């Protein structure tokens, strides 16, 4: 059975452009409840660890530099079928390929600077939520 939580970050490009409010509105309007949220900044070491699964990919260095370049918003979201439904809401990695009405179509500028992160499995949603939040910081 699919889990009911996912993890997101509003990435530095979207924070810089004052898109936090617009993105959170799309998230709420799509039926997700925010159960934890933090305005924070990743150190280079934290970004390296968070994106460790991509360490062998050619864009890893660029991704780590970018994700540690400015503040982000990290959040845990709750909804039935959260992981799959949130991936649909954010759209394709490359905004040029993202469907109308998705967050990346509305707010992302490029495949790298793509406005939001969304977990790709229930297992990773738990790992990524635990990376940013202690259990007592999540209020369901
Ligand atoms: P996802 O965020 O849609 O799950 P992934 O393939 O998991 O996409 O890649 C993680 C992140 O790495 C992307 O969101 C994006 O910020 C960055 N990224 C992916 N592909 C590229 C690329 O070709 N060039 C630069 N950055 C990339
Ligand atoms: Mg991914």
């Amino acid at each position: 059975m699919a889990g009911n939580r996912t993890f997101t970050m509003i990435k530095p490009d979207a924070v810089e452009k004052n898109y936090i409010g617009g993105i959170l509105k799309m998230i709420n309007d799509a039926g997700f409840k925010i159960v934890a949220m933090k305005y924070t900044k990743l150190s280079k070491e934290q970004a390296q660890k968070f994106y460790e699964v991509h360490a062998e990919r050619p864009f890893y260095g660029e991704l780590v530099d970018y994700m540690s370049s400015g503040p982000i918003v990290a959040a845990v979201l709750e909804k039935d079928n959260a992981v799959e439904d949130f991936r649909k809401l954010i759209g394709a990695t490359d905004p040029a390929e993202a469907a109308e009405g998705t967050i990346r179509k509305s707010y992302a500028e490029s495949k790298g600077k793509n406005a939001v992160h969304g977990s790709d499995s229930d297992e990773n949603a738990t790992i990524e939520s635990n990376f940013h939040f202690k259990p007592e910081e999540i209020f369901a």
Side-chain angles (χ1 to χ4, degrees), residues 54 87 117-118 120:
H54 296 308
R87 293 293 306 200
H117 169 83
D120 62 7

Side-chain angles (χ1 to χ4, degrees), residues 46-65:
Q46 285 174 311
Q48 278 168 342
K49 187 155 193 322
F50 187 88
Y51 282 108
E52 219 162 36
V53 293
H54 296 308
E56 302 307 320
R57 295 174 79 174
F59 56 82
Y60 179 65
E62 183 190 332
L63 175 61
V64 166
D65 286 347

